[in-house]
Amino acid sequence: FEITGGYRFRLQRLTRVRPYIAAGFGSYGYQETSTFADPGEDVDTRHSGVVLNGGAEFRLHRWVGFAADVQYSHVPGILGQGGVSQQAGETDLGGVAARVKLVVGR
């Protein structure tokens, strides 16, 4: 679950393009189970993290557009407590993601 707030910029020369930036926080869950695990080896945890994203919305029509953005999330401490993530030395569930969205509405 993520909540972000941001700002959409208004460009004077390119009225159909709206760049935006946002920041927020999220609550992330991680679960790892195995039928071969010994008691106490399964992992089921939840942590908070930060989210940053930025991109641009391109209006194709008054009510239709598309957007592309990049999101970075940082969730420290959720991994590495047990299971495969501990064996691999992973400690951060976050990373970088790219998205393309269809926008309907104003």
Side-chain angles (χ1 to χ4, degrees):
F1 180 75
E2 297 173 339
I3 296 175
T4 59
Y7 183 76
R8 288 185 351 169
F9 299 93
R10 202 177 279 265
L11 301 176
Q12 297 296 328
R13 292 183 178 190
L14 301 171
T15 58
R16 292 183 177 262
V17 179
R18 286 283 182 88
Y20 56 88
I21 58 172
F25 70 94
S27 177
Y28 304 89
Y30 178 73
Q31 183 178 42
E32 185 179 312
T33 59
S34 172
T35 55
F36 303 106
D38 290 331
E41 286 186 335
D42 290 338
V43 177
D44 189 3
T45 187
R46 180 165 290 281
H47 283 263
S48 297
V50 272
V51 178
L52 303 171
N53 69 24
E57 181 180 317
F58 306 91
R59 298 309 293 192
L60 302 172
H61 184 271
R62 183 176 176 183
W63 293 92
V64 179
F66 74 93
D69 67 28
V70 174
Q71 176 173 305
Y72 171 75
S73 57
H74 178 63
V75 189
I78 196 168
L79 298 178
Q81 305 301 316
V84 175
S85 66
Q86 183 181 31
Q87 294 171 0
E90 293 288 336
T91 59
D92 188 348
L93 184 66
V96 177
R99 298 184 285 218
V100 177
K101 303 181 276 188
L102 176 66
V103 179
V104 179
R106 293 178 61 173

